[in-house]
PDB file of all heavy atoms in Angstrom:
ATOM      1  N   PRO A  36     -73.558 -65.419  94.675  1.00  0.00           N
ATOM      2  CA  PRO A  36     -74.937 -64.926  94.669  1.00  0.00           C
ATOM      3  C   PRO A  36     -75.822 -65.632  93.659  1.00  0.00           C
ATOM      4  O   PRO A  36     -75.344 -66.198  92.670  1.00  0.00           O
ATOM      5  CB  PRO A  36     -74.781 -63.445  94.305  1.00  0.00           C
ATOM      6  CG  PRO A  36     -73.494 -63.377  93.551  1.00  0.00           C
ATOM      7  CD  PRO A  36     -72.639 -64.499  94.062  1.00  0.00           C
ATOM      8  N   VAL A  37     -77.105 -65.611  93.897  1.00  0.00           N
ATOM      9  CA  VAL A  37     -78.103 -66.192  93.017  1.00  0.00           C
ATOM     10  C   VAL A  37     -78.275 -65.307  91.779  1.00  0.00           C
ATOM     11  O   VAL A  37     -78.052 -64.103  91.838  1.00  0.00           O
ATOM     12  CB  VAL A  37     -79.447 -66.369  93.761  1.00  0.00           C
ATOM     13  CG1 VAL A  37     -80.058 -65.028  94.111  1.00  0.00           C
ATOM     14  CG2 VAL A  37     -80.418 -67.222  92.969  1.00  0.00           C
ATOM     15  N   GLY A  38     -78.647 -65.932  90.663  1.00  0.00           N
ATOM     16  CA  GLY A  38     -79.059 -65.182  89.494  1.00  0.00           C
ATOM     17  C   GLY A  38     -78.024 -64.899  88.440  1.00  0.00           C
ATOM     18  O   GLY A  38     -78.351 -64.288  87.428  1.00  0.00           O
ATOM     19  N   TYR A  39     -76.792 -65.331  88.608  1.00  0.00           N
ATOM     20  CA  TYR A  39     -75.810 -65.166  87.544  1.00  0.00           C
ATOM     21  C   TYR A  39     -76.037 -66.254  86.508  1.00  0.00           C
ATOM     22  O   TYR A  39     -76.289 -67.405  86.849  1.00  0.00           O
ATOM     23  CB  TYR A  39     -74.388 -65.257  88.093  1.00  0.00           C
ATOM     24  CG  TYR A  39     -73.887 -63.957  88.647  1.00  0.00           C
ATOM     25  CD1 TYR A  39     -74.191 -63.582  89.942  1.00  0.00           C
ATOM     26  CD2 TYR A  39     -73.132 -63.093  87.861  1.00  0.00           C
ATOM     27  CE1 TYR A  39     -73.744 -62.378  90.458  1.00  0.00           C
ATOM     28  CE2 TYR A  39     -72.691 -61.881  88.366  1.00  0.00           C
ATOM     29  CZ  TYR A  39     -72.995 -61.529  89.661  1.00  0.00           C
ATOM     30  OH  TYR A  39     -72.573 -60.342  90.164  1.00  0.00           O
ATOM     31  N   ALA A  40     -75.939 -65.863  85.230  1.00  0.00           N
ATOM     32  CA  ALA A  40     -76.231 -66.821  84.151  1.00  0.00           C
ATOM     33  C   ALA A  40     -75.185 -66.694  83.044  1.00  0.00           C
ATOM     34  O   ALA A  40     -74.611 -65.631  82.853  1.00  0.00           O
ATOM     35  CB  ALA A  40     -77.614 -66.559  83.585  1.00  0.00           C
ATOM     36  N   PRO A  41     -74.982 -67.776  82.303  1.00  0.00           N
ATOM     37  CA  PRO A  41     -74.065 -67.707  81.168  1.00  0.00           C
ATOM     38  C   PRO A  41     -74.598 -66.672  80.160  1.00  0.00           C
ATOM     39  O   PRO A  41     -75.798 -66.506  80.073  1.00  0.00           O
ATOM     40  CB  PRO A  41     -74.103 -69.101  80.561  1.00  0.00           C
ATOM     41  CG  PRO A  41     -74.765 -69.972  81.562  1.00  0.00           C
ATOM     42  CD  PRO A  41     -75.564 -69.086  82.453  1.00  0.00           C
ATOM     43  N   PRO A  42     -73.793 -65.972  79.475  1.00  0.00           N
ATOM     44  CA  PRO A  42     -72.339 -66.082  79.351  1.00  0.00           C
ATOM     45  C   PRO A  42     -71.572 -65.270  80.381  1.00  0.00           C
ATOM     46  O   PRO A  42     -70.378 -65.044  80.210  1.00  0.00           O
ATOM     47  CB  PRO A  42     -72.085 -65.569  77.951  1.00  0.00           C
ATOM     48  CG  PRO A  42     -73.099 -64.486  77.769  1.00  0.00           C
ATOM     49  CD  PRO A  42     -74.326 -64.998  78.511  1.00  0.00           C
ATOM     50  N   GLN A  43     -72.243 -64.810  81.431  1.00  0.00           N
ATOM     51  CA  GLN A  43     -71.562 -64.032  82.458  1.00  0.00           C
ATOM     52  C   GLN A  43     -70.495 -64.861  83.177  1.00  0.00           C
ATOM     53  O   GLN A  43     -70.637 -66.063  83.350  1.00  0.00           O
ATOM     54  CB  GLN A  43     -72.546 -63.542  83.514  1.00  0.00           C
ATOM     55  CG  GLN A  43     -73.457 -62.448  83.078  1.00  0.00           C
ATOM     56  CD  GLN A  43     -74.388 -62.047  84.223  1.00  0.00           C
ATOM     57  OE1 GLN A  43     -75.044 -62.879  84.810  1.00  0.00           O
ATOM     58  NE2 GLN A  43     -74.413 -60.769  84.516  1.00  0.00           N
ATOM     59  N   SER A  44     -69.457 -64.152  83.608  1.00  0.00           N
ATOM     60  CA  SER A  44     -68.478 -64.741  84.519  1.00  0.00           C
ATOM     61  C   SER A  44     -68.684 -64.091  85.867  1.00  0.00           C
ATOM     62  O   SER A  44     -68.950 -62.900  85.960  1.00  0.00           O
ATOM     63  CB  SER A  44     -67.057 -64.491  84.032  1.00  0.00           C
ATOM     64  OG  SER A  44     -66.776 -65.270  82.903  1.00  0.00           O
ATOM     65  N   LEU A  45     -68.563 -64.866  86.885  1.00  0.00           N
ATOM     66  CA  LEU A  45     -68.667 -64.374  88.245  1.00  0.00           C
ATOM     67  C   LEU A  45     -67.265 -64.126  88.760  1.00  0.00           C
ATOM     68  O   LEU A  45     -66.433 -65.036  88.761  1.00  0.00           O
ATOM     69  CB  LEU A  45     -69.387 -65.406  89.110  1.00  0.00           C
ATOM     70  CG  LEU A  45     -69.567 -65.104  90.572  1.00  0.00           C
ATOM     71  CD1 LEU A  45     -70.366 -63.833  90.773  1.00  0.00           C
ATOM     72  CD2 LEU A  45     -70.256 -66.261  91.258  1.00  0.00           C
ATOM     73  N   ILE A  46     -66.980 -62.883  89.154  1.00  0.00           N
ATOM     74  CA  ILE A  46     -65.651 -62.529  89.638  1.00  0.00           C
ATOM     75  C   ILE A  46     -65.765 -62.065  91.074  1.00  0.00           C
ATOM     76  O   ILE A  46     -66.507 -61.142  91.378  1.00  0.00           O
ATOM     77  CB  ILE A  46     -65.011 -61.454  88.739  1.00  0.00           C
ATOM     78  CG1 ILE A  46     -64.808 -62.002  87.343  1.00  0.00           C
ATOM     79  CG2 ILE A  46     -63.690 -60.980  89.352  1.00  0.00           C
ATOM     80  CD1 ILE A  46     -64.263 -61.037  86.339  1.00  0.00           C
ATOM     81  N   ILE A  47     -65.052 -62.765  91.947  1.00  0.00           N
ATOM     82  CA  ILE A  47     -65.044 -62.460  93.371  1.00  0.00           C
ATOM     83  C   ILE A  47     -63.647 -61.961  93.726  1.00  0.00           C
ATOM     84  O   ILE A  47     -62.653 -62.647  93.448  1.00  0.00           O
ATOM     85  CB  ILE A  47     -65.358 -63.703  94.220  1.00  0.00           C
ATOM     86  CG1 ILE A  47     -66.646 -64.378  93.786  1.00  0.00           C
ATOM     87  CG2 ILE A  47     -65.347 -63.359  95.697  1.00  0.00           C
ATOM     88  CD1 ILE A  47     -67.899 -63.632  94.061  1.00  0.00           C
ATOM     89  N   GLN A  48     -63.555 -60.781  94.337  1.00  0.00           N
ATOM     90  CA  GLN A  48     -62.278 -60.244  94.773  1.00  0.00           C
ATOM     91  C   GLN A  48     -62.218 -60.217  96.289  1.00  0.00           C
ATOM     92  O   GLN A  48     -63.124 -59.670  96.933  1.00  0.00           O
ATOM     93  CB  GLN A  48     -62.051 -58.851  94.187  1.00  0.00           C
ATOM     94  CG  GLN A  48     -61.885 -58.865  92.686  1.00  0.00           C
ATOM     95  CD  GLN A  48     -61.660 -57.493  92.110  1.00  0.00           C
ATOM     96  OE1 GLN A  48     -62.239 -56.522  92.567  1.00  0.00           O
ATOM     97  NE2 GLN A  48     -60.800 -57.407  91.096  1.00  0.00           N
ATOM     98  N   LEU A  49     -61.189 -60.792  96.826  1.00  0.00           N
ATOM     99  CA  LEU A  49     -60.930 -60.784  98.254  1.00  0.00           C
ATOM    100  C   LEU A  49     -59.678 -59.944  98.453  1.00  0.00           C
ATOM    101  O   LEU A  49     -58.594 -60.317  98.009  1.00  0.00           O
ATOM    102  CB  LEU A  49     -60.720 -62.207  98.771  1.00  0.00           C
ATOM    103  CG  LEU A  49     -61.836 -63.191  98.439  1.00  0.00           C
ATOM    104  CD1 LEU A  49     -61.405 -64.601  98.729  1.00  0.00           C
ATOM    105  CD2 LEU A  49     -63.081 -62.831  99.232  1.00  0.00           C
TER     106      LEU A  49
END
Side-chain angles (χ1 to χ4, degrees):
V37 67
Y39 276 84
Q43 288 180 307
S44 288
L45 178 60
I46 297 177
I47 307 290
Q48 293 180 323
L49 306 168

